[in-house]
Amino acid sequence: MTKLRSVTLNEKAQSLCELPILSGATGPDVVDIQTLYQQTGMFTYDPGFTSTASCSSAITYIDGEKGILLYRGYPIEQLAEHCTFLEVCYLLLNGELPDTDEIQKFEDTITLHTMVHDQLTNFFKGFRRDAHPMAIMVGVVGALSSFYHDALDIKSKKDRDLSAIRLIAKVPTIVAMCHKYSTGLPFMYPQNKLNYVENFMRMMLGTPCDEFSPNPVLVRALDRILILHADHEQNASTSTVRLAGSSGANPYACITAGIACLWGAAHGGANEAVLNMLEEIGDVSNITTFINKAKDKRDPFRLMGFGHRVYKNYDPRAKLMRDTCHEVLTELGLHDDKIFKLALELERIALEDQYFVEKKLYPNVDYYSGIVLHALGIPSNMFTAMFAMGRTVGWIAHWDEMIADPEQRIGRPRQLYTGAAKRDIPPQHIKRA
Ligand code: SDX
């Protein structure tokens, strides 16, 4: 980053302090406020970090006004069309797309780490069969660190790389196990002859009783869905992973913190909430009622899958997800799917409504993902776990970048205190010895 100029903070025409302005490779410049408190005795105040850059990063760039998303400089549209999810994983982790030898080695390494320690299956038995899969994911992924004491030195790049491989390889196996556990069906072991997505689909949807023949159109669709979910700058769950990592916590604990944060309906839980919302709307004749509820300030209802903190234009992933949705429904002979047609009509009406236009509320990545996951045979309570499966690589890439960043320190925000002034305990609460 380069220091171009500075900004002076004045109060009553008195110069309070001068702060440098930094520029990155692209996007908004930043005011470096690291010395603000030292110079002025004041903090900045920015609930939700709407105007705050928490770090510098070279991984992903979003232009919310133009609806642009780049992974290591490559547009998401090109990656979704020309690359596989594992090629995108390699790109996010290493900064460049792999050549033929590099991707073959990376795929082989991932394949050889897809199995989990057999004792990990014992953790599932502690959960009720109807436990939400994200509750199980938090428990089981968090427990992974207890199996890998051999590579938890976060200062060792070799250990960090091995943890990255283990997490990218094992999270799909654990996600599939969550589903199998909820259905009472036996866990399926990975098969090394299958590619990453085929393997996951067989573990998720296959049984030991039948040969599983993955449909290549559906495999490619799911591969693309994982690409669309792989990373997204400093979103809530990635910021959680970075904050957890800044204390020196091990990578499995940090990724578990990210999984916990992603679960929220305002974040990764939205895909499940979108499908529930569409099923509640039920018919196009009810769309206006729900649009009015979403606009009513007294009503907590929001149009799930719409709006975004950064995108004030169409989320480029939503377009790609809609196309993938159409492709999968056509392949499955479901192009008349009632829910998909309802979603298209709801999108059309909302995008013409003044409220959504003025507030720049467009469909986001979660709006169509639930419909296509449902069509792929994945139950709605698994949707956020699928999001976590795609985002694991982004969380790890940011965790690794943060550990290697010479500027990184333990994250410790300050606050604007609005509580009671210093006071003594009243006599009636003081216990006589
Ligand atoms: C993800 O950050 C990321 O990058 C996240 C993500 C990723 O890849 O990691 O992209 C994944 O989380 C996508 C978002 C999924 N969530 C949803 O679809 C839930 C529905 N959306 C909203 O809850 C909301 O839009 C958020 C949480 C996504 C964004 O919230 P912000 O940025 O805090 O915006 P806001 O709540 O301040 O809303 C601004 C205005 C408000 O009205 P006013 O107070 O200005 O009058 O827009 C309104 C909101 O009431 N609004 C909505 C709305 N979203 C915002 N009104 C109706 N329906 C909505 N969906």
Side-chain angles (χ1 to χ4, degrees):
M1 64 191 97
T2 50
K3 178 185 164 188
L4 288 172
R5 51 201 195 284
S6 61
V7 65
T8 303
L9 207 55
N10 296 309
E11 186 171 38
K12 299 186 184 80
Q14 287 294 315
S15 165
L16 270 180
C17 72
E18 189 171 299
L19 297 168
I21 293 175
L22 307 177
S23 281
T26 184
D29 291 343
V30 298
V31 177
D32 180 346
I33 58 167
Q34 296 182 76
T35 62
L36 177 73
Y37 179 62
Q38 175 196 337
Q39 291 191 57
T40 68
M42 287 194 285
F43 300 141
T44 57
Y45 182 66
D46 185 16
F49 310 118
T50 48
S51 302
T52 295
S54 61
C55 62
S56 62
S57 177
I59 299 171
T60 293
Y61 175 70
I62 301 170
D63 182 325
E65 298 307 324
K66 295 181 185 144
I68 291 171
L69 170 58
L70 309 176
Y71 290 168
R72 298 286 189 182
Y74 294 108
I76 190 68
E77 296 83 355
Q78 294 182 29
L79 293 169
E81 186 178 350
H82 301 299
C83 297
T84 65
F85 175 63
L86 284 187
E87 285 172 323
V88 169
C89 286
Y90 186 98
L91 170 68
L92 289 169
L93 293 171
N94 300 293
E96 296 298 338
L97 283 168
D99 62 26
T100 314
D101 293 340
E102 286 164 336
I103 190 58
Q104 189 58 60
K105 183 166 178 286
F106 186 70
E107 285 171 353
D108 294 346
T109 307
I110 292 285
T111 299
L112 294 178
H113 283 273
T114 48
M115 273 211 293
V116 294
H117 193 293
D118 219 39
Q119 276 184 248
L120 200 76
T121 59
N122 297 330
F123 286 88
F124 286 81
K125 296 190 180 76
F127 289 97
R128 288 172 39 147
R129 290 284 180 178
D130 62 353
H132 195 287
M134 289 298 278
I136 302 176
M137 286 281 288
V138 167
V140 174
V141 174
L144 277 180
S145 59
S146 65
F147 290 85
Y148 299 116
H149 294 294
D150 63 329
L152 290 181
D153 175 5
I154 62 171
K155 295 296 179 211
S156 156
K157 179 64 176 152
K158 180 172 165 289
D159 280 11
R160 296 206 304 269
D161 289 350
L162 178 53
S163 299
I165 292 290
R166 280 173 165 157
L167 279 157
I168 293 169
K170 296 180 196 302
V171 164
T173 306
I174 293 168
V175 168
M177 290 169 80
C178 289
H179 175 56
K180 288 302 184 194
Y181 182 73
S182 71
T183 59
L185 288 170
F187 295 144
M188 298 285 285
Y189 283 87
Q191 286 196 333
N192 294 349
K193 65 183 179 186
L194 301 175
N195 73 31
Y196 189 83
V197 171
E198 290 169 346
N199 220 351
F200 168 72
M201 291 178 91
R202 180 182 166 277
M203 291 190 284
M204 179 80 184
L205 303 170
T207 72
C209 315
D210 290 316
E211 272 310 302
F212 183 79
S213 313
N215 176 322
V217 173
L218 306 186
V219 169
R220 179 64 189 130
L222 185 51
D223 191 273
R224 191 180 309 131
I225 289 168
L226 295 177
I227 291 172
L228 298 180
H229 285 88
D231 193 48
H232 215 236
E233 281 190 1
Q234 307 308 321
N235 58 84
S237 53
T238 299
S239 299
T240 301
V241 170
R242 279 180 171 261
L243 194 57
S246 74
S247 76
N250 74 67
Y252 305 95
C254 297
I255 299 308
T256 301
I259 292 171
C261 177
L262 185 75
W263 194 357
H267 190 14
N271 49 21
E272 182 177 358
V274 166
L275 199 68
N276 295 339
M277 174 188 74
L278 291 170
E279 283 165 354
E280 189 186 356
I281 294 173
D283 185 88
V284 290
S285 59
N286 300 326
I287 286 178
T288 305
T289 305
F290 280 84
I291 292 264
N292 291 335
K293 278 170 62 70
K295 292 157 50 173
D296 181 354
K297 283 293 158 223
R298 292 157 306 172
D299 191 325
F301 174 79
R302 286 197 166 178
L303 212 52
M304 300 315 282
F306 265 77
H308 199 276
R309 170 62 56 78
V310 177
Y311 288 122
K312 300 310 170 189
N313 197 322
Y314 212 100
D315 183 336
R317 302 169 298 174
K319 274 191 197 116
L320 293 162
M321 195 66 80
R322 184 182 59 203
D323 298 347
T324 302
C325 197
H326 189 265
E327 190 182 308
V328 166
L329 293 173
T330 304
E331 173 68 16
L332 294 172
L334 300 171
H335 39 277
D336 277 339
D337 181 83
K338 190 178 173 208
I339 292 286
F340 182 55
K341 295 180 94 170
L342 180 63
L344 289 171
E345 184 61 6
L346 173 59
E347 175 189 356
R348 185 189 66 77
I349 295 172
L351 292 182
E352 290 171 356
D353 185 287
Q354 207 44 38
Y355 173 92
F356 290 86
V357 172
E358 275 168 16
K359 293 184 186 298
K360 299 184 178 179
L361 302 174
Y362 292 87
N364 57 50
V365 67
D366 291 303
Y367 187 63
Y368 286 102
S369 61
I371 302 167
V372 62
L373 291 173
H374 176 71
L376 289 171
I378 293 165
S380 59
N381 69 345
M382 290 297 301
F383 290 176
T384 309
M386 297 296 294
F387 194 144
M389 193 165 99
R391 187 54 56 87
T392 292
V393 63
W395 288 332
I396 292 166
H398 281 274
W399 169 76
D400 186 56
E401 182 182 63
M402 183 265 310
I403 299 279
D405 181 349
E407 283 197 309
Q408 92 91 14
R409 312 167 66 190
I410 187 166
R412 204 315 187 174
R414 302 307 300 269
Q415 63 176 13
L416 177 66
Y417 178 66
T418 58
K422 184 171 175 290
R423 55 184 172 162
D424 295 325
I425 295 177
Q428 66 268 27
H429 288 280
I430 295 174
K431 309 283 180 290
R432 300 281 170 245

